[in-house]
Amino acid sequence: MIDLRSDTITKPTEAMRKAMYEAEVGDDVYNEDPTISQLEELAADLLGKEKALFVTSGTQGNQIAVLSHCVPGNEVLLEKDSHIFYYEGGAISAFAGVQTRTISSINGAMDSADVQSAIRGNDIHEPETGLICLENTHNRAGGAIVPISNMEAIFNVATKAHVPIHLDGARLFNAAVAEGKTVKEFTQFTSTVQICLSKGLGAPVGSIIAGSHEFITKARKWRKRLGGGLRQAGVLAAPGIIALTEMVDRLAVDHQHAQHFAEGVKNITGISVINAVDTNIVLVDTTAKGITSKEYIERLKEEGILAVSFGPTTVRFTTHYDVTKEQIEQALVALQKI
Ligand code: TLP
């Protein structure tokens, strides 16, 4: 099977497995795991924040951020197809007791004027705006890079209104590598950030959240409340360190593979690429073929290719460390056959 469902499916590299075996560990709830501390210091430095915290998943990291920034009854502003709104099971309402207010975007980038006008005023009838969430790259927009200038414009609006900004940067390193920039250049316009170690960077488990000392103190407490305080977690941090030190630059290869795949799809009748393919995601529309994405995915499976549905006639293909250029070629042959 050629698995293009997600970059979450990558298996830990040999170097990661060796590092897991050799990791020095302690009880991280007591702050005594040296490998966790090393990962958190490295991540805080890369992300340009005072402190970082290892969490079990991207979803948990985003949830802890909302819980730490907001109080029940707050309103959170976020893009209408953002992961936090679309794919986290309504968790921010269930756990943080906040309501959401969604904003449309172009390729994941909300207009700062729309954000400004959505921020609530000082009116007894209205909820208070507790947080603005951004996502970069934007998953449902097809791995689209939200421009730094757009993040800056929203940050300026938020700062004036004293509203914090949380960035869901599950694939922030993809954006940075594709733009030839550092992740800090993006995170300078955020209060807090979540990055996934377990997507294109290849670690088996985990995410990082980063922000001020004060934020991380609150976040640590929320992580414990949610049952995410881990004990000898150094075995999970060790591959995370490799993810951040050895796996970032090679994301460019995944981007080349996505480009190559998209070019190939353009030569196949009945299907078309509908995103700009900024990074490692290709969205393919099946409308002209007269079949649904689910039917198309079934046909793909028969040919040994796995992909996911992203709408009634949209199929998402994601490139990652465990897919070679030869497999991309094979996938294109299978698509041609269908
Ligand atoms: N995204 C997954 C699915 O949940 C859709 C995927 O295959 O793309 N933020 C963003 C932008 C994400 O894409 C994801 C995962 C998460 C957060 C959540 O990360 P995990 O899976 O670690 O909870």
Side-chain angles (χ1 to χ4, degrees), residues 16 42 46-47 171-178 180-183 195-197 199-203 239-255 321:
M16 287 180 180
L42 169 68
L46 280 173
L47 294 165
R171 296 186 179 84
L172 184 61
F173 283 92
N174 292 84
V177 167
K181 298 204 152 61
T182 61
V183 280
I195 54 141
C196 286
L197 302 167
K199 294 202 164 54
L201 299 181
I241 291 168
I242 292 178
L244 291 179
T245 52
E246 292 175 23
M247 302 292 282
V248 172
D249 293 343
R250 63 145 310 282
L251 290 172
V253 175
D254 298 345
H255 301 166
Y321 185 64

PDB file of all heavy atoms in Angstrom, residues 16 42 46-47 171-178 180-183 195-197 199-203 239-255 321:
ATOM      1  N   MET A  16      15.712   7.463  15.664  1.00  0.00           N
ATOM      2  CA  MET A  16      14.728   7.757  16.719  1.00  0.00           C
ATOM      3  C   MET A  16      14.564   6.570  17.667  1.00  0.00           C
ATOM      4  O   MET A  16      14.543   6.712  18.888  1.00  0.00           O
ATOM      5  CB  MET A  16      13.373   8.109  16.098  1.00  0.00           C
ATOM      6  CG  MET A  16      13.328   9.475  15.453  1.00  0.00           C
ATOM      7  SD  MET A  16      11.709   9.792  14.756  1.00  0.00           S
ATOM      8  CE  MET A  16      11.952  11.435  14.098  1.00  0.00           C
ATOM      9  N   LEU A  42      14.980  23.115  23.888  1.00  0.00           N
ATOM     10  CA  LEU A  42      15.280  23.227  22.457  1.00  0.00           C
ATOM     11  C   LEU A  42      14.080  23.850  21.710  1.00  0.00           C
ATOM     12  O   LEU A  42      14.243  24.760  20.888  1.00  0.00           O
ATOM     13  CB  LEU A  42      15.580  21.823  21.903  1.00  0.00           C
ATOM     14  CG  LEU A  42      15.676  21.648  20.396  1.00  0.00           C
ATOM     15  CD1 LEU A  42      16.904  22.371  19.840  1.00  0.00           C
ATOM     16  CD2 LEU A  42      15.764  20.155  20.029  1.00  0.00           C
ATOM     17  N   LEU A  46      13.804  27.400  19.606  1.00  0.00           N
ATOM     18  CA  LEU A  46      13.458  27.441  18.179  1.00  0.00           C
ATOM     19  C   LEU A  46      12.226  28.306  17.926  1.00  0.00           C
ATOM     20  O   LEU A  46      12.142  29.006  16.923  1.00  0.00           O
ATOM     21  CB  LEU A  46      13.124  26.020  17.682  1.00  0.00           C
ATOM     22  CG  LEU A  46      14.273  25.081  17.358  1.00  0.00           C
ATOM     23  CD1 LEU A  46      13.739  23.688  17.053  1.00  0.00           C
ATOM     24  CD2 LEU A  46      15.057  25.614  16.157  1.00  0.00           C
ATOM     25  N   LEU A  47      11.272  28.235  18.865  1.00  0.00           N
ATOM     26  CA  LEU A  47       9.997  28.935  18.660  1.00  0.00           C
ATOM     27  C   LEU A  47      10.027  30.375  19.189  1.00  0.00           C
ATOM     28  O   LEU A  47       9.034  31.102  19.057  1.00  0.00           O
ATOM     29  CB  LEU A  47       8.844  28.142  19.312  1.00  0.00           C
ATOM     30  CG  LEU A  47       8.585  26.769  18.652  1.00  0.00           C
ATOM     31  CD1 LEU A  47       7.715  25.895  19.535  1.00  0.00           C
ATOM     32  CD2 LEU A  47       7.945  26.929  17.269  1.00  0.00           C
ATOM     33  N   ARG A 171       1.780  22.056  11.331  1.00  0.00           N
ATOM     34  CA  ARG A 171       2.721  21.927  10.201  1.00  0.00           C
ATOM     35  C   ARG A 171       3.471  23.240   9.959  1.00  0.00           C
ATOM     36  O   ARG A 171       3.752  23.611   8.817  1.00  0.00           O
ATOM     37  CB  ARG A 171       1.963  21.499   8.939  1.00  0.00           C
ATOM     38  CG  ARG A 171       1.333  20.124   9.055  1.00  0.00           C
ATOM     39  CD  ARG A 171       0.698  19.636   7.749  1.00  0.00           C
ATOM     40  NE  ARG A 171       0.131  18.313   7.930  1.00  0.00           N
ATOM     41  CZ  ARG A 171      -1.081  18.080   8.425  1.00  0.00           C
ATOM     42  NH1 ARG A 171      -1.870  19.086   8.765  1.00  0.00           N
ATOM     43  NH2 ARG A 171      -1.516  16.839   8.579  1.00  0.00           N
ATOM     44  N   LEU A 172       3.828  23.940  11.044  1.00  0.00           N
ATOM     45  CA  LEU A 172       4.525  25.226  10.899  1.00  0.00           C
ATOM     46  C   LEU A 172       5.897  25.058  10.243  1.00  0.00           C
ATOM     47  O   LEU A 172       6.333  25.915   9.475  1.00  0.00           O
ATOM     48  CB  LEU A 172       4.675  25.905  12.268  1.00  0.00           C
ATOM     49  CG  LEU A 172       5.292  27.301  12.234  1.00  0.00           C
ATOM     50  CD1 LEU A 172       4.432  28.271  11.419  1.00  0.00           C
ATOM     51  CD2 LEU A 172       5.509  27.838  13.641  1.00  0.00           C
ATOM     52  N   PHE A 173       6.569  23.928  10.532  1.00  0.00           N
ATOM     53  CA  PHE A 173       7.892  23.727   9.934  1.00  0.00           C
ATOM     54  C   PHE A 173       7.788  23.571   8.411  1.00  0.00           C
ATOM     55  O   PHE A 173       8.700  23.957   7.688  1.00  0.00           O
ATOM     56  CB  PHE A 173       8.611  22.532  10.575  1.00  0.00           C
ATOM     57  CG  PHE A 173       9.182  22.884  11.927  1.00  0.00           C
ATOM     58  CD1 PHE A 173       8.445  22.670  13.088  1.00  0.00           C
ATOM     59  CD2 PHE A 173      10.439  23.466  12.035  1.00  0.00           C
ATOM     60  CE1 PHE A 173       8.957  23.021  14.333  1.00  0.00           C
ATOM     61  CE2 PHE A 173      10.961  23.825  13.271  1.00  0.00           C
ATOM     62  CZ  PHE A 173      10.219  23.612  14.425  1.00  0.00           C
ATOM     63  N   ASN A 174       6.654  23.018   7.931  1.00  0.00           N
ATOM     64  CA  ASN A 174       6.469  22.948   6.480  1.00  0.00           C
ATOM     65  C   ASN A 174       6.415  24.349   5.886  1.00  0.00           C
ATOM     66  O   ASN A 174       7.015  24.623   4.842  1.00  0.00           O
ATOM     67  CB  ASN A 174       5.169  22.193   6.135  1.00  0.00           C
ATOM     68  CG  ASN A 174       5.255  20.725   6.494  1.00  0.00           C
ATOM     69  OD1 ASN A 174       5.026  20.346   7.633  1.00  0.00           O
ATOM     70  ND2 ASN A 174       5.613  19.884   5.543  1.00  0.00           N
ATOM     71  N   ALA A 175       5.697  25.242   6.568  1.00  0.00           N
ATOM     72  CA  ALA A 175       5.596  26.625   6.078  1.00  0.00           C
ATOM     73  C   ALA A 175       6.972  27.279   6.069  1.00  0.00           C
ATOM     74  O   ALA A 175       7.370  27.917   5.085  1.00  0.00           O
ATOM     75  CB  ALA A 175       4.630  27.419   6.961  1.00  0.00           C
ATOM     76  N   ALA A 176       7.720  27.092   7.161  1.00  0.00           N
ATOM     77  CA  ALA A 176       9.021  27.746   7.292  1.00  0.00           C
ATOM     78  C   ALA A 176       9.992  27.242   6.215  1.00  0.00           C
ATOM     79  O   ALA A 176      10.663  28.046   5.553  1.00  0.00           O
ATOM     80  CB  ALA A 176       9.585  27.490   8.687  1.00  0.00           C
ATOM     81  N   VAL A 177      10.042  25.920   6.028  1.00  0.00           N
ATOM     82  CA  VAL A 177      10.959  25.351   5.039  1.00  0.00           C
ATOM     83  C   VAL A 177      10.573  25.822   3.630  1.00  0.00           C
ATOM     84  O   VAL A 177      11.425  26.227   2.837  1.00  0.00           O
ATOM     85  CB  VAL A 177      10.984  23.804   5.146  1.00  0.00           C
ATOM     86  CG1 VAL A 177      11.674  23.171   3.940  1.00  0.00           C
ATOM     87  CG2 VAL A 177      11.688  23.384   6.432  1.00  0.00           C
ATOM     88  N   ALA A 178       9.276  25.803   3.332  1.00  0.00           N
ATOM     89  CA  ALA A 178       8.834  26.212   1.986  1.00  0.00           C
ATOM     90  C   ALA A 178       9.150  27.679   1.714  1.00  0.00           C
ATOM     91  O   ALA A 178       9.442  28.054   0.579  1.00  0.00           O
ATOM     92  CB  ALA A 178       7.331  25.955   1.829  1.00  0.00           C
ATOM     93  N   GLY A 180      11.650  29.338   3.195  1.00  0.00           N
ATOM     94  CA  GLY A 180      13.050  29.638   3.493  1.00  0.00           C
ATOM     95  C   GLY A 180      13.175  30.572   4.683  1.00  0.00           C
ATOM     96  O   GLY A 180      14.066  31.428   4.735  1.00  0.00           O
ATOM     97  N   LYS A 181      12.270  30.427   5.657  1.00  0.00           N
ATOM     98  CA  LYS A 181      12.297  31.295   6.839  1.00  0.00           C
ATOM     99  C   LYS A 181      12.444  30.425   8.098  1.00  0.00           C
ATOM    100  O   LYS A 181      12.297  29.203   8.041  1.00  0.00           O
ATOM    101  CB  LYS A 181      10.990  32.078   6.925  1.00  0.00           C
ATOM    102  CG  LYS A 181      10.779  33.005   5.729  1.00  0.00           C
ATOM    103  CD  LYS A 181       9.861  34.142   6.077  1.00  0.00           C
ATOM    104  CE  LYS A 181      10.114  35.383   5.259  1.00  0.00           C
ATOM    105  NZ  LYS A 181       9.937  35.278   3.837  1.00  0.00           N
ATOM    106  N   THR A 182      12.697  31.068   9.240  1.00  0.00           N
ATOM    107  CA  THR A 182      12.726  30.312  10.490  1.00  0.00           C
ATOM    108  C   THR A 182      11.306  30.289  11.066  1.00  0.00           C
ATOM    109  O   THR A 182      10.492  31.168  10.745  1.00  0.00           O
ATOM    110  CB  THR A 182      13.656  30.988  11.516  1.00  0.00           C
ATOM    111  OG1 THR A 182      13.141  32.297  11.780  1.00  0.00           O
ATOM    112  CG2 THR A 182      15.074  31.087  11.001  1.00  0.00           C
ATOM    113  N   VAL A 183      11.041  29.318  11.945  1.00  0.00           N
ATOM    114  CA  VAL A 183       9.703  29.285  12.558  1.00  0.00           C
ATOM    115  C   VAL A 183       9.479  30.521  13.446  1.00  0.00           C
ATOM    116  O   VAL A 183       8.357  31.004  13.591  1.00  0.00           O
ATOM    117  CB  VAL A 183       9.434  27.985  13.352  1.00  0.00           C
ATOM    118  CG1 VAL A 183       9.052  26.853  12.430  1.00  0.00           C
ATOM    119  CG2 VAL A 183      10.571  27.588  14.243  1.00  0.00           C
ATOM    120  N   ILE A 195       3.101  23.016  18.056  1.00  0.00           N
ATOM    121  CA  ILE A 195       3.688  22.346  16.873  1.00  0.00           C
ATOM    122  C   ILE A 195       3.640  20.825  17.081  1.00  0.00           C
ATOM    123  O   ILE A 195       3.794  20.338  18.196  1.00  0.00           O
ATOM    124  CB  ILE A 195       5.148  22.780  16.602  1.00  0.00           C
ATOM    125  CG1 ILE A 195       6.028  22.599  17.859  1.00  0.00           C
ATOM    126  CG2 ILE A 195       5.238  24.202  16.069  1.00  0.00           C
ATOM    127  CD1 ILE A 195       7.410  22.101  17.558  1.00  0.00           C
ATOM    128  N   CYS A 196       3.417  20.102  15.972  1.00  0.00           N
ATOM    129  CA  CYS A 196       3.362  18.639  16.053  1.00  0.00           C
ATOM    130  C   CYS A 196       4.729  18.034  15.712  1.00  0.00           C
ATOM    131  O   CYS A 196       5.317  18.382  14.692  1.00  0.00           O
ATOM    132  CB  CYS A 196       2.334  18.093  15.066  1.00  0.00           C
ATOM    133  SG  CYS A 196       0.631  18.363  15.585  1.00  0.00           S
ATOM    134  N   LEU A 197       5.190  17.128  16.571  1.00  0.00           N
ATOM    135  CA  LEU A 197       6.427  16.390  16.294  1.00  0.00           C
ATOM    136  C   LEU A 197       6.108  15.150  15.466  1.00  0.00           C
ATOM    137  O   LEU A 197       6.973  14.555  14.848  1.00  0.00           O
ATOM    138  CB  LEU A 197       7.082  15.968  17.620  1.00  0.00           C
ATOM    139  CG  LEU A 197       7.407  17.124  18.571  1.00  0.00           C
ATOM    140  CD1 LEU A 197       7.746  16.607  19.964  1.00  0.00           C
ATOM    141  CD2 LEU A 197       8.554  17.947  18.006  1.00  0.00           C
ATOM    142  N   LYS A 199       4.085  14.634  12.799  1.00  0.00           N
ATOM    143  CA  LYS A 199       3.552  14.694  11.418  1.00  0.00           C
ATOM    144  C   LYS A 199       4.753  14.574  10.482  1.00  0.00           C
ATOM    145  O   LYS A 199       5.442  13.566  10.541  1.00  0.00           O
ATOM    146  CB  LYS A 199       2.742  15.975  11.237  1.00  0.00           C
ATOM    147  CG  LYS A 199       1.500  15.944  12.099  1.00  0.00           C
ATOM    148  CD  LYS A 199       0.401  16.843  11.645  1.00  0.00           C
ATOM    149  CE  LYS A 199      -0.904  16.458  12.315  1.00  0.00           C
ATOM    150  NZ  LYS A 199      -0.827  16.395  13.790  1.00  0.00           N
ATOM    151  N   GLY A 200       5.013  15.583   9.672  1.00  0.00           N
ATOM    152  CA  GLY A 200       6.130  15.481   8.729  1.00  0.00           C
ATOM    153  C   GLY A 200       7.471  15.266   9.405  1.00  0.00           C
ATOM    154  O   GLY A 200       8.403  14.750   8.792  1.00  0.00           O
ATOM    155  N   LEU A 201       7.599  15.660  10.682  1.00  0.00           N
ATOM    156  CA  LEU A 201       8.897  15.541  11.358  1.00  0.00           C
ATOM    157  C   LEU A 201       9.177  14.110  11.826  1.00  0.00           C
ATOM    158  O   LEU A 201      10.271  13.805  12.293  1.00  0.00           O
ATOM    159  CB  LEU A 201       8.985  16.518  12.538  1.00  0.00           C
ATOM    160  CG  LEU A 201       8.860  18.012  12.172  1.00  0.00           C
ATOM    161  CD1 LEU A 201       8.989  18.890  13.414  1.00  0.00           C
ATOM    162  CD2 LEU A 201       9.901  18.423  11.139  1.00  0.00           C
ATOM    163  N   GLY A 202       8.161  13.256  11.756  1.00  0.00           N
ATOM    164  CA  GLY A 202       8.395  11.818  11.882  1.00  0.00           C
ATOM    165  C   GLY A 202       8.448  11.197  13.269  1.00  0.00           C
ATOM    166  O   GLY A 202       8.611   9.988  13.385  1.00  0.00           O
ATOM    167  N   ALA A 203       8.337  11.983  14.339  1.00  0.00           N
ATOM    168  CA  ALA A 203       8.367  11.377  15.683  1.00  0.00           C
ATOM    169  C   ALA A 203       7.099  10.538  15.878  1.00  0.00           C
ATOM    170  O   ALA A 203       6.070  10.810  15.270  1.00  0.00           O
ATOM    171  CB  ALA A 203       8.464  12.463  16.751  1.00  0.00           C
ATOM    172  N   PRO A 239      12.913  10.917  20.480  1.00  0.00           N
ATOM    173  CA  PRO A 239      12.685  11.051  19.034  1.00  0.00           C
ATOM    174  C   PRO A 239      12.212  12.461  18.656  1.00  0.00           C
ATOM    175  O   PRO A 239      12.453  12.918  17.538  1.00  0.00           O
ATOM    176  CB  PRO A 239      11.592  10.011  18.729  1.00  0.00           C
ATOM    177  CG  PRO A 239      10.993   9.663  20.038  1.00  0.00           C
ATOM    178  CD  PRO A 239      12.036   9.887  21.074  1.00  0.00           C
ATOM    179  N   GLY A 240      11.594  13.153  19.598  1.00  0.00           N
ATOM    180  CA  GLY A 240      11.176  14.544  19.353  1.00  0.00           C
ATOM    181  C   GLY A 240      12.384  15.446  19.121  1.00  0.00           C
ATOM    182  O   GLY A 240      12.347  16.347  18.282  1.00  0.00           O
ATOM    183  N   ILE A 241      13.457  15.178  19.867  1.00  0.00           N
ATOM    184  CA  ILE A 241      14.689  15.980  19.698  1.00  0.00           C
ATOM    185  C   ILE A 241      15.264  15.727  18.297  1.00  0.00           C
ATOM    186  O   ILE A 241      15.665  16.662  17.593  1.00  0.00           O
ATOM    187  CB  ILE A 241      15.713  15.623  20.805  1.00  0.00           C
ATOM    188  CG1 ILE A 241      15.189  16.119  22.157  1.00  0.00           C
ATOM    189  CG2 ILE A 241      17.090  16.220  20.499  1.00  0.00           C
ATOM    190  CD1 ILE A 241      15.939  15.607  23.378  1.00  0.00           C
ATOM    191  N   ILE A 242      15.231  14.474  17.879  1.00  0.00           N
ATOM    192  CA  ILE A 242      15.719  14.160  16.518  1.00  0.00           C
ATOM    193  C   ILE A 242      14.813  14.820  15.475  1.00  0.00           C
ATOM    194  O   ILE A 242      15.279  15.371  14.476  1.00  0.00           O
ATOM    195  CB  ILE A 242      15.800  12.632  16.321  1.00  0.00           C
ATOM    196  CG1 ILE A 242      16.924  12.109  17.218  1.00  0.00           C
ATOM    197  CG2 ILE A 242      16.045  12.271  14.856  1.00  0.00           C
ATOM    198  CD1 ILE A 242      17.131  10.640  17.196  1.00  0.00           C
ATOM    199  N   ALA A 243      13.502  14.806  15.734  1.00  0.00           N
ATOM    200  CA  ALA A 243      12.558  15.445  14.804  1.00  0.00           C
ATOM    201  C   ALA A 243      12.938  16.912  14.585  1.00  0.00           C
ATOM    202  O   ALA A 243      12.955  17.400  13.453  1.00  0.00           O
ATOM    203  CB  ALA A 243      11.131  15.339  15.351  1.00  0.00           C
ATOM    204  N   LEU A 244      13.271  17.612  15.670  1.00  0.00           N
ATOM    205  CA  LEU A 244      13.557  19.051  15.564  1.00  0.00           C
ATOM    206  C   LEU A 244      14.969  19.349  15.058  1.00  0.00           C
ATOM    207  O   LEU A 244      15.214  20.441  14.540  1.00  0.00           O
ATOM    208  CB  LEU A 244      13.356  19.727  16.928  1.00  0.00           C
ATOM    209  CG  LEU A 244      11.914  19.805  17.430  1.00  0.00           C
ATOM    210  CD1 LEU A 244      11.858  20.476  18.801  1.00  0.00           C
ATOM    211  CD2 LEU A 244      11.017  20.555  16.454  1.00  0.00           C
ATOM    212  N   THR A 245      15.890  18.414  15.234  1.00  0.00           N
ATOM    213  CA  THR A 245      17.273  18.715  14.843  1.00  0.00           C
ATOM    214  C   THR A 245      17.663  18.091  13.500  1.00  0.00           C
ATOM    215  O   THR A 245      18.535  18.601  12.818  1.00  0.00           O
ATOM    216  CB  THR A 245      18.274  18.227  15.922  1.00  0.00           C
ATOM    217  OG1 THR A 245      17.996  16.851  16.200  1.00  0.00           O
ATOM    218  CG2 THR A 245      18.160  19.034  17.195  1.00  0.00           C
ATOM    219  N   GLU A 246      16.991  16.980  13.124  1.00  0.00           N
ATOM    220  CA  GLU A 246      17.451  16.281  11.907  1.00  0.00           C
ATOM    221  C   GLU A 246      16.398  16.145  10.817  1.00  0.00           C
ATOM    222  O   GLU A 246      16.711  15.742   9.704  1.00  0.00           O
ATOM    223  CB  GLU A 246      17.927  14.857  12.276  1.00  0.00           C
ATOM    224  CG  GLU A 246      19.191  14.864  13.109  1.00  0.00           C
ATOM    225  CD  GLU A 246      19.611  13.473  13.573  1.00  0.00           C
ATOM    226  OE1 GLU A 246      19.226  12.473  12.933  1.00  0.00           O
ATOM    227  OE2 GLU A 246      20.321  13.411  14.587  1.00  0.00           O
ATOM    228  N   MET A 247      15.142  16.455  11.140  1.00  0.00           N
ATOM    229  CA  MET A 247      14.079  16.122  10.186  1.00  0.00           C
ATOM    230  C   MET A 247      13.422  17.352   9.547  1.00  0.00           C
ATOM    231  O   MET A 247      12.484  17.202   8.751  1.00  0.00           O
ATOM    232  CB  MET A 247      13.002  15.269  10.886  1.00  0.00           C
ATOM    233  CG  MET A 247      13.525  13.975  11.482  1.00  0.00           C
ATOM    234  SD  MET A 247      14.067  12.786  10.232  1.00  0.00           S
ATOM    235  CE  MET A 247      12.486  12.138   9.698  1.00  0.00           C
ATOM    236  N   VAL A 248      13.893  18.540   9.907  1.00  0.00           N
ATOM    237  CA  VAL A 248      13.215  19.753   9.416  1.00  0.00           C
ATOM    238  C   VAL A 248      13.542  20.023   7.944  1.00  0.00           C
ATOM    239  O   VAL A 248      12.622  20.122   7.113  1.00  0.00           O
ATOM    240  CB  VAL A 248      13.574  20.976  10.292  1.00  0.00           C
ATOM    241  CG1 VAL A 248      13.030  22.260   9.677  1.00  0.00           C
ATOM    242  CG2 VAL A 248      13.016  20.795  11.707  1.00  0.00           C
ATOM    243  N   ASP A 249      14.837  20.099   7.615  1.00  0.00           N
ATOM    244  CA  ASP A 249      15.216  20.508   6.259  1.00  0.00           C
ATOM    245  C   ASP A 249      14.667  19.569   5.189  1.00  0.00           C
ATOM    246  O   ASP A 249      14.338  19.994   4.086  1.00  0.00           O
ATOM    247  CB  ASP A 249      16.739  20.619   6.137  1.00  0.00           C
ATOM    248  CG  ASP A 249      17.266  21.761   6.991  1.00  0.00           C
ATOM    249  OD1 ASP A 249      16.457  22.622   7.387  1.00  0.00           O
ATOM    250  OD2 ASP A 249      18.483  21.770   7.271  1.00  0.00           O
ATOM    251  N   ARG A 250      14.564  18.273   5.539  1.00  0.00           N
ATOM    252  CA  ARG A 250      14.114  17.306   4.537  1.00  0.00           C
ATOM    253  C   ARG A 250      12.615  17.447   4.180  1.00  0.00           C
ATOM    254  O   ARG A 250      12.152  16.824   3.221  1.00  0.00           O
ATOM    255  CB  ARG A 250      14.456  15.867   4.942  1.00  0.00           C
ATOM    256  CG  ARG A 250      13.777  15.380   6.202  1.00  0.00           C
ATOM    257  CD  ARG A 250      13.440  13.923   6.122  1.00  0.00           C
ATOM    258  NE  ARG A 250      12.741  13.571   4.896  1.00  0.00           N
ATOM    259  CZ  ARG A 250      11.435  13.812   4.717  1.00  0.00           C
ATOM    260  NH1 ARG A 250      10.702  14.407   5.627  1.00  0.00           N
ATOM    261  NH2 ARG A 250      10.861  13.439   3.592  1.00  0.00           N
ATOM    262  N   LEU A 251      11.893  18.284   4.893  1.00  0.00           N
ATOM    263  CA  LEU A 251      10.487  18.511   4.522  1.00  0.00           C
ATOM    264  C   LEU A 251      10.396  19.030   3.076  1.00  0.00           C
ATOM    265  O   LEU A 251       9.399  18.822   2.392  1.00  0.00           O
ATOM    266  CB  LEU A 251       9.826  19.526   5.471  1.00  0.00           C
ATOM    267  CG  LEU A 251       9.581  19.040   6.907  1.00  0.00           C
ATOM    268  CD1 LEU A 251       9.111  20.199   7.778  1.00  0.00           C
ATOM    269  CD2 LEU A 251       8.559  17.902   6.945  1.00  0.00           C
ATOM    270  N   ALA A 252      11.492  19.669   2.625  1.00  0.00           N
ATOM    271  CA  ALA A 252      11.527  20.177   1.243  1.00  0.00           C
ATOM    272  C   ALA A 252      11.315  19.030   0.243  1.00  0.00           C
ATOM    273  O   ALA A 252      10.722  19.227  -0.818  1.00  0.00           O
ATOM    274  CB  ALA A 252      12.855  20.877   0.987  1.00  0.00           C
ATOM    275  N   VAL A 253      11.790  17.842   0.601  1.00  0.00           N
ATOM    276  CA  VAL A 253      11.613  16.681  -0.287  1.00  0.00           C
ATOM    277  C   VAL A 253      10.128  16.335  -0.400  1.00  0.00           C
ATOM    278  O   VAL A 253       9.601  16.075  -1.492  1.00  0.00           O
ATOM    279  CB  VAL A 253      12.422  15.459   0.243  1.00  0.00           C
ATOM    280  CG1 VAL A 253      12.155  14.213  -0.572  1.00  0.00           C
ATOM    281  CG2 VAL A 253      13.905  15.783   0.289  1.00  0.00           C
ATOM    282  N   ASP A 254       9.426  16.358   0.737  1.00  0.00           N
ATOM    283  CA  ASP A 254       7.974  16.093   0.715  1.00  0.00           C
ATOM    284  C   ASP A 254       7.259  17.114  -0.172  1.00  0.00           C
ATOM    285  O   ASP A 254       6.312  16.776  -0.887  1.00  0.00           O
ATOM    286  CB  ASP A 254       7.383  16.166   2.135  1.00  0.00           C
ATOM    287  CG  ASP A 254       7.978  15.128   3.073  1.00  0.00           C
ATOM    288  OD1 ASP A 254       8.622  14.182   2.572  1.00  0.00           O
ATOM    289  OD2 ASP A 254       7.805  15.280   4.296  1.00  0.00           O
ATOM    290  N   HIS A 255       7.727  18.352  -0.115  1.00  0.00           N
ATOM    291  CA  HIS A 255       7.094  19.408  -0.918  1.00  0.00           C
ATOM    292  C   HIS A 255       7.339  19.160  -2.414  1.00  0.00           C
ATOM    293  O   HIS A 255       6.426  19.313  -3.232  1.00  0.00           O
ATOM    294  CB  HIS A 255       7.618  20.795  -0.498  1.00  0.00           C
ATOM    295  CG  HIS A 255       7.355  21.103   0.949  1.00  0.00           C
ATOM    296  ND1 HIS A 255       7.964  22.132   1.614  1.00  0.00           N
ATOM    297  CD2 HIS A 255       6.548  20.506   1.869  1.00  0.00           C
ATOM    298  CE1 HIS A 255       7.548  22.153   2.873  1.00  0.00           C
ATOM    299  NE2 HIS A 255       6.687  21.168   3.046  1.00  0.00           N
ATOM    300  N   TYR A 321       7.640  11.463   4.914  1.00  0.00           N
ATOM    301  CA  TYR A 321       8.933  10.774   4.967  1.00  0.00           C
ATOM    302  C   TYR A 321       8.887   9.327   4.465  1.00  0.00           C
ATOM    303  O   TYR A 321       9.863   8.827   3.916  1.00  0.00           O
ATOM    304  CB  TYR A 321       9.426  10.802   6.431  1.00  0.00           C
ATOM    305  CG  TYR A 321      10.797  10.227   6.632  1.00  0.00           C
ATOM    306  CD1 TYR A 321      11.908  10.815   6.050  1.00  0.00           C
ATOM    307  CD2 TYR A 321      10.985   9.096   7.427  1.00  0.00           C
ATOM    308  CE1 TYR A 321      13.168  10.299   6.243  1.00  0.00           C
ATOM    309  CE2 TYR A 321      12.256   8.568   7.620  1.00  0.00           C
ATOM    310  CZ  TYR A 321      13.338   9.174   7.025  1.00  0.00           C
ATOM    311  OH  TYR A 321      14.588   8.657   7.214  1.00  0.00           O
TER     312      TYR A 321
END
